[in-house]
Amino acid sequence: MSVLFTAQMAKHYSLLQELQNENLAGVAYKNRKLIRSILTHFANSGNATIPYLSKLLNTSVPKTGELIAELIEAGLVKDYGKTGSSVGRRPNIYGLASDSAFFVGVEVKNNYINIGLLDFKKNLVKLSERLPYTLSNTQQSLDELCEIVKTFIEGLKDIAEKVLGIGISLSGRINYKTGYSYSFFYFNEEPLSSVIERKIGIPTYLDNDSRAMAYGEFCSGVVHDEKDVLFINIDYGIAMGVMINGELYYGKSGFAGEFGHIPFFQNEILCHCGKKGCLETETSGKALIDQFRQKLREGASSLLNSKYKNIDDIKLDDIIDAANNDDTLAIELIAKVGEKLGKAIAALINLYNPELIILGGRLAGAGDYIYYPVKSAINKYSLSLVNNDTQLKISRLGAKAGVIGACLMVRNKLLG
Amino acid sequence: MSVLFTAQMAKHYSLLQELQNENLAGVAYKNRKLIRSILTHFANSGNATIPYLSKLLNTSVPKTGELIAELIEAGLVKDYGKTGSSVGRRPNIYGLASDSAFFVGVEVKNNYINIGLLDFKKNLVKLSERLPYTLSNTQQSLDELCEIVKTFIEGLKDIAEKVLGIGISLSGRINYKTGYSYSFFYFNEEPLSSVIERKIGIPTYLDNDSRAMAYGEFCSGVVHDEKDVLFINIDYGIAMGVMINGELYYGKSGFAGEFGHIPFFQNEILCHCGKKGCLETETSGKALIDQFRQKLREGASSLLNSKYKNIDDIKLDDIIDAANNDDTLAIELIAKVGEKLGKAIAALINLYNPELIILGGRLAGAGDYIYYPVKSAINKYSLSLVNNDTQLKISRLGAKAGVIGACLMVRNKLLG
DNA sequence: AATAATTAATTAATATTTTTATTAATTATT
DNA sequence: AATAATTAATAAAAATATTAATTAATTATT
């Protein structure tokens, strides 16, 4: 493979490495900062011209030109030719070279893994969905996970060399900054991210599943210019990713967004977290399944009556499919869940005064059947002056949000 | 007065004005940015030496020295002599000149006004408390407010010239960025901040009362290095100031932190906001008064039985005083309010994973009688892994938080 | 079709900043 | 008490970035 390692690639890696170097000072430091800013601008906002960057960074045109030349020399940036017309000489436009670097995103679910490959310009160039895997809190399960990722990367052939990092999205409580996972694979003194990094040999970052999805949606989903955004992941459980001032919010230790376990009901339903009355106990995929099965046992009729002999075999996706096929029971129960959830979201609106709230996760697949009950409860329960500001939208990336978010997370770590 | 306006003062004002100038480019822009950074550092972290600043700003020592000389020339910065010993030649230490500029903070309450004067170095040099005033939503009330502030500033004599700005803390919904107040004095097309600014002739900024208090606590109260902090203002109503990543969080339009109106109870008590079940309806100063009076009517005994003939004359401060004098009824009812509030705060902890939560506002004057019930409810209702991170403290500035916060708000606007 | 007007890119001149060297001030060590 | 070691401040030299001037490329106008 080292035959493929060209002189340009060597330059490109040395420049990227230099960007991570913390020990620079003086002129070298300032140049690195400018180069980072240029790359970040390309990464987040796309191609740009030298005069534009010059104004943006408050640097002279000759200096900006010099930095761009350096980036082109290193193979990270490409000259994309002249831009569309206006008055005067047309500027050249520059941007990232899409095939100069790649990022791998891994979404670990309970019964399968999704892995995606993102190029330097945020294009999802490969996606392996539903690779068989069973998540359990054992060393063996962890080893298996690493093997699957390794195999995926080896299968990329010459691109494998250009993979700059791996982002892993995992459920449970994760401290993104330290790399520790507390809910899964907490066997060692060493942070989980380091353990995996050592096994695979590529820089690895961990994050919580809902936050990864949120990040995908923030960077290449439904979010445009909004800076204060909440992403609600309505799956088996309920969680939230928070974007504040254009950046993911983590809190002290990366546990922010535990929306599903706020004490919201006065009920006696025991949550898997050990407390009673958690939001999740009445408004989540799990709650919906329980409620649906209960209704069937009580003799209610549904499309799913005929599909399964055993009521306990009914899955969340079945209920969502049923609703999308006009099943009255599914629609009614989803609406009830939506109303309660909307009331809790109304509280979030009062607290965060967000510009946008995104409904994501599997239950968001129910589209209007979840959207309208949530929307109407928001109007009912939040202060009108405050909720006037807040748009409500359904996730655009859908099931791909997790993988794309995990890729973007690493990309941002290195470029942002 | 213009006799007092010296040549140095002219320089000083021109430099401060230049700092606000948005139309600088090139070298001038960069110098301004550096000067701003130096001033901000002095303002937030205190005095510093040239070698230290040089490292901090990644600027060479000669350049840093030049900028400091300019600031001294303008009278904004002072040379405070040599620092305490270490090895080698001891550096000179520089910092803000405390008497070079002042800030006025105005806290508007329902029945009085507090006005404070802060010097350049954050010392509260004058405080006029409980100036008689009645807040009502009329033009006359607004005029009266302006007159009181004007009188205060004129009374400062030669210092009046050096007042750089006025910060006003007002209850209700306020958009800090635009200067609009929606709950009070919303008579004109023009933002309220501009209206007042025109009347008094000094740059004026508005903010919400709870946020101003929170800001006081964040900058010169109980907060040290914490970056993610919640300040709960427990007064007649309940509201919150949020600090995220070391900065006040406003949300899309400055309405973030409406903690008191989240739908938290299933009760039928109508809140003044028009909704039912708001947090405030059962856990706030108003709720406490209502509950206390109700108990007395039901025949309960209390120290306050003898003090007032008419139960309706009992005020919030009386109940807090009673508790602090071991009145059982007051203590019990405050504890109940505290428990419910603690449950709601547990939700905040799950959502924000904050490093610190501050209990402020009048009810925080009940000290341990409110602290422990809140603390115990937090332990009961939030996820232990998350709440382990969160300290709970009582406000340090107490009744002065609002005035100090209002002063600091303007100071930060100009220096931060 | 030629010219003016406009903006981009490059080059040369100027200004600014940094780096290095030197001097100054101070503490610890011999 | 003298000297070495250390850090700060200043001065001089070198490096670097900016500004201004020039050339290039393009569109609108005469």
Side-chain angles (χ1 to χ4, degrees):
Chain A
M1 268 206 251
S2 61
V3 180
L4 295 163
F5 202 85
T6 64
Q8 196 189 55
M9 277 174 73
K11 263 181 203 160
H12 144 192
Y13 281 106
S14 72
L15 204 160
L16 277 172
Q17 263 161 20
E18 197 186 306
L19 287 181
Q20 305 303 121
N21 182 358
E22 296 286 324
N23 303 329
L24 294 177
V27 176
Y29 172 86
K30 286 178 188 172
N31 279 337
R32 186 195 64 173
K33 209 168 146 189
L34 285 170
I35 283 198
R36 260 198 103 88
S37 303
I38 293 175
L39 283 176
T40 304
H41 186 269
F42 286 152
N44 297 332
S45 315
N47 299 353
T49 67
I50 289 178
Y52 175 85
L53 288 170
S54 172
K55 265 173 210 145
L56 187 77
L57 307 176
N58 284 288
T59 323
S60 66
V61 168
K63 178 68 185 166
T64 309
E66 185 190 313
L67 294 170
I68 292 282
E70 193 178 334
L71 284 163
I72 290 174
E73 173 84 352
L76 291 172
V77 163
K78 252 176 84 176
D79 182 341
Y80 284 95
K82 301 286 178 193
T83 51
S85 66
S86 80
V87 187
R89 177 172 170 177
R90 294 182 317 192
N92 282 40
I93 191 158
Y94 303 88
L96 298 179
S98 43
D99 61 347
S100 66
F102 295 84
F103 309 93
V104 167
V106 182
E107 185 179 33
V108 183
K109 302 285 253 180
N110 277 311
N111 301 304
Y112 58 90
I113 290 179
N114 298 323
I115 309 188
L117 181 73
L118 211 69
D119 71 15
F120 211 40
K121 284 197 102 172
K122 284 205 265 196
N123 304 303
L124 187 65
V125 287
K126 191 173 176 187
L127 178 59
S128 297
E129 279 181 301
R130 296 190 163 262
L131 302 176
Y133 171 74
T134 304
L135 175 61
S136 68
N137 199 15
T138 61
Q139 181 66 48
Q140 195 205 330
S141 182
L142 172 58
D143 293 341
E144 212 181 311
L145 167 63
C146 293
E147 271 314 307
I148 294 175
V149 176
K150 240 174 150 172
T151 309
F152 176 89
I153 293 175
E154 279 162 7
L156 299 174
K157 310 238 176 82
D158 46 322
I159 283 182
E161 295 274 331
K162 295 184 184 173
V163 172
L164 297 185
I166 301 170
I168 297 184
S169 140
L170 201 57
S171 68
R173 270 161 283 288
I174 287 173
N175 188 329
Y176 158 85
K177 279 177 211 151
T178 60
Y180 278 103
S181 161
Y182 296 95
S183 308
F184 285 101
F185 309 139
Y186 189 25
F187 311 133
N188 316 286
E189 267 302 302
E190 200 185 351
L192 180 58
S193 62
S194 312
V195 174
I196 300 177
E197 185 167 327
R198 222 166 6 83
K199 286 208 181 184
I200 306 185
I202 294 176
T204 300
Y205 303 92
L206 282 183
D207 211 339
N208 170 273
D209 54 347
S210 297
R211 210 145 44 206
M213 292 169 80
Y215 198 59
E217 216 48 73
F218 294 160
C219 298
S220 21
V222 87
V223 175
H224 293 104
D225 288 328
E226 295 87 354
K227 297 291 172 216
D228 301 320
V229 183
L230 305 178
F231 176 91
I232 317 284
N233 182 18
I234 328 168
D235 207 277
Y236 206 71
I238 288 205
M240 175 170 70
V242 179
M243 182 166 90
I244 280 179
N245 205 14
E247 294 193 5
L248 273 189
Y249 175 67
Y250 286 89
K252 168 93 195 299
S253 316
F255 306 145
E258 281 294 352
F259 188 38
H261 300 286
I262 63 171
F264 199 73
F265 297 110
Q266 231 83 34
N267 66 30
E268 286 296 311
I269 306 173
L270 192 70
C271 182
H272 65 94
C273 77
K275 314 241 177 211
K276 285 177 188 170
C278 290
L279 182 68
E280 272 188 27
T281 59
E282 293 192 35
T283 168
S284 66
K286 164 130 181 28
L288 177 63
I289 295 171
D290 291 347
Q291 289 158 18
F292 197 90
R293 288 175 183 162
Q294 181 62 28
K295 282 283 179 191
L296 289 188
R297 280 197 196 92
E298 286 167 6
S301 67
S302 154
L303 291 175
L304 294 179
N305 266 331
S306 47
K307 192 168 173 190
Y308 290 102
K309 275 163 288 181
N310 188 347
I311 287 176
D312 286 335
D313 288 343
I314 295 176
K315 300 276 183 295
L316 182 55
D317 288 330
D318 297 319
I319 303 177
I320 295 168
D321 286 348
N324 288 329
N325 285 299
D326 297 325
D327 184 77
T328 316
L329 181 63
I331 292 173
E332 273 175 13
L333 289 178
I334 289 173
K336 267 194 189 158
V337 164
E339 274 164 42
K340 288 176 186 171
L341 182 62
K343 187 175 177 186
I345 292 178
L348 294 181
I349 290 179
N350 283 340
L351 293 172
Y352 288 96
N353 181 210
E355 207 167 345
L356 170 64
I357 291 180
I358 306 166
L359 300 180
R362 270 191 284 174
L363 245 166
D368 286 352
Y369 295 125
I370 184 88
Y371 182 89
Y372 286 108
V374 168
K375 182 81 183 168
S376 107
I378 288 176
N379 290 337
K380 192 166 162 195
Y381 293 108
S382 67
L383 298 172
S384 56
L385 186 66
V386 181
N387 95 57
N388 277 342
D389 287 338
T390 309
Q391 297 174 273
L392 182 71
K393 290 187 179 167
I394 295 272
S395 153
R396 199 175 84 186
L397 300 182
K400 287 180 186 158
V403 167
I404 294 181
C407 292
L408 285 167
M409 195 177 82
V410 215
R411 182 172 177 270
N412 186 54
K413 187 81 190 174
L414 298 165
L415 285 182
Chain B
M1 271 205 254
S2 61
V3 179
L4 295 163
F5 201 85
T6 64
Q8 197 190 53
M9 275 174 71
K11 263 183 202 157
H12 146 188
Y13 281 106
S14 71
L15 205 160
L16 277 172
Q17 263 160 22
E18 197 186 305
L19 286 181
Q20 305 304 120
N21 181 358
E22 296 287 324
N23 304 328
L24 294 177
V27 177
Y29 172 87
K30 286 177 189 173
N31 279 338
R32 187 195 63 173
K33 210 168 146 188
L34 285 171
I35 283 198
R36 258 199 105 85
S37 303
I38 293 175
L39 283 176
T40 304
H41 186 269
F42 285 152
N44 298 332
S45 315
N47 300 353
T49 67
I50 289 178
Y52 175 85
L53 288 170
S54 172
K55 265 173 211 145
L56 187 77
L57 308 176
N58 283 289
T59 323
S60 66
V61 168
K63 178 68 186 165
T64 309
E66 186 191 311
L67 295 169
I68 291 281
E70 195 179 332
L71 284 163
I72 290 174
E73 174 84 352
L76 291 172
V77 163
K78 251 177 82 177
D79 182 341
Y80 285 96
K82 302 285 177 192
T83 51
S85 67
S86 79
V87 187
R89 177 172 170 176
R90 294 182 320 193
N92 281 40
I93 190 157
Y94 302 89
L96 298 179
S98 41
D99 61 346
S100 67
F102 295 84
F103 309 93
V104 167
V106 182
E107 186 180 32
V108 184
K109 302 285 254 179
N110 277 310
N111 300 305
Y112 58 90
I113 290 179
N114 298 324
I115 309 188
L117 180 72
L118 212 68
D119 71 14
F120 212 40
K121 283 197 102 172
K122 283 204 263 195
N123 304 303
L124 187 65
V125 288
K126 190 175 177 187
L127 178 59
S128 296
E129 280 181 300
R130 295 190 162 264
L131 302 176
Y133 172 74
T134 305
L135 174 63
S136 68
N137 199 15
T138 61
Q139 181 66 46
Q140 194 204 332
S141 182
L142 173 57
D143 293 341
E144 211 180 310
L145 168 63
C146 292
E147 272 314 307
I148 294 174
V149 176
K150 241 175 150 171
T151 309
F152 176 88
I153 292 175
E154 279 162 8
L156 299 173
K157 309 237 174 82
D158 46 324
I159 283 182
E161 295 274 329
K162 295 185 186 173
V163 172
L164 297 185
I166 302 170
I168 297 183
S169 141
L170 201 59
S171 68
R173 269 161 283 288
I174 288 174
N175 188 331
Y176 158 84
K177 280 178 213 150
T178 61
Y180 278 104
S181 162
Y182 296 94
S183 308
F184 285 102
F185 309 139
Y186 189 24
F187 310 134
N188 314 286
E189 267 302 303
E190 199 184 351
L192 179 59
S193 61
S194 312
V195 173
I196 300 177
E197 186 167 326
R198 221 166 6 84
K199 287 208 177 181
I200 306 185
I202 294 176
T204 301
Y205 303 92
L206 282 184
D207 211 339
N208 171 275
D209 56 347
S210 298
R211 212 146 42 206
M213 293 169 80
Y215 198 60
E217 224 34 84
F218 293 160
C219 299
S220 20
V222 88
V223 175
H224 293 105
D225 288 328
E226 294 87 356
K227 297 291 173 215
D228 300 321
V229 184
L230 305 177
F231 176 91
I232 317 285
N233 182 18
I234 327 168
D235 208 279
Y236 206 71
I238 289 206
M240 175 170 69
V242 179
M243 181 167 89
I244 280 179
N245 205 13
E247 294 194 3
L248 273 190
Y249 174 68
Y250 286 88
K252 168 93 195 300
S253 315
F255 305 144
E258 281 295 351
F259 188 37
H261 300 286
I262 62 172
F264 198 72
F265 297 110
Q266 231 83 36
N267 67 31
E268 287 296 311
I269 307 173
L270 192 71
C271 183
H272 65 94
C273 77
K275 314 243 176 208
K276 286 175 188 170
C278 289
L279 181 68
E280 271 187 26
T281 58
E282 292 192 35
T283 168
S284 67
K286 163 128 181 33
L288 177 64
I289 295 171
D290 292 346
Q291 289 158 18
F292 197 92
R293 288 175 183 161
Q294 180 62 27
K295 282 283 178 189
L296 288 187
R297 280 195 196 92
E298 286 167 7
S301 68
S302 155
L303 291 174
L304 295 179
N305 267 330
S306 46
K307 191 169 174 190
Y308 291 102
K309 277 162 288 182
N310 188 347
I311 286 176
D312 287 334
D313 288 341
I314 295 176
K315 300 277 183 296
L316 182 55
D317 288 330
D318 297 318
I319 302 176
I320 296 167
D321 286 347
N324 288 329
N325 286 301
D326 298 325
D327 184 78
T328 317
L329 180 63
I331 292 173
E332 272 174 14
L333 289 178
I334 290 173
K336 267 194 189 158
V337 163
E339 274 164 43
K340 288 177 185 169
L341 181 62
K343 187 175 177 184
I345 292 178
L348 295 180
I349 291 179
N350 284 338
L351 293 172
Y352 288 95
N353 181 210
E355 209 167 343
L356 170 64
I357 291 180
I358 306 166
L359 301 179
R362 269 192 285 174
L363 246 167
D368 285 352
Y369 295 126
I370 184 86
Y371 182 89
Y372 285 109
V374 168
K375 182 81 184 169
S376 108
I378 287 176
N379 290 336
K380 190 167 163 193
Y381 291 110
S382 67
L383 298 171
S384 55
L385 187 66
V386 181
N387 95 55
N388 276 342
D389 287 338
T390 309
Q391 296 173 273
L392 182 71
K393 289 186 180 168
I394 295 272
S395 152
R396 199 176 83 185
L397 300 182
K400 287 179 187 160
V403 167
I404 294 181
C407 293
L408 285 168
M409 196 178 82
V410 215
R411 182 173 179 270
N412 187 54
K413 187 82 189 173
L414 298 164
L415 285 182

